[in-house]
Amino acid sequence: MTALDENAVAPRDTGHEDYLRVLEAIQTGALQLLAGFPQQPSALRFQVGEVTVEAEWQATAPAPTPATTAAVPVESVAAPDSPALGAVVRAPSVGVFYRCPEPGADPFVEVGDRVQAGQQIAIVEAMKLMIPVTAQTGGVVTGILKEDNEPVQFDEPLFSYSPE
């Protein structure tokens, strides 16, 4: 056996790499497209090469009319981005909220943690697509508004924070 034979690299499975590249392209495109919508679409279809991914979301229930709304003291409800709640980080998609990078791991952040702009602080899973939730600006986490593994709606507040 020569030195060249010992250092030879096994041939790569290019089909597998191509598949991963296509999935990455779909994920990147989906995140960019969803970020550009003023509200969550009801359906989305991507096609990259021969791979097609389709996703549909149930329409969110319409807001209740004033006649069917129960009386709630104003002090007990804080409007999003209100002084009582502070700034919020919102869900980028309909899906399932995860505070940890994987089961059994420590959460990305806890109340009181200082975060930087762009730092990943959670995950929303939609159709097996893991969408990172990131801090828009630097600040301190003041509240975690959803439980781990809880379903969330598009644009729903997930964290409150005090921006710096």
Side-chain angles (χ1 to χ4, degrees), residues 98-102 106-110 113 119-123:
Y98 294 109
R99 292 188 54 211
C100 307
E102 60 185 35
D106 291 335
F108 285 101
V109 294
E110 295 285 357
D113 286 356
Q119 177 181 342
Q120 185 172 356
I121 58 176
I123 296 170

Side-chain angles (χ1 to χ4, degrees), residues 13-26 48 51:
D13 179 3
T14 57
H16 180 71
E17 288 178 3
D18 288 344
Y19 178 74
L20 292 177
R21 264 195 303 277
V22 168
L23 286 178
E24 185 175 329
I26 291 171
V48 178
V51 177

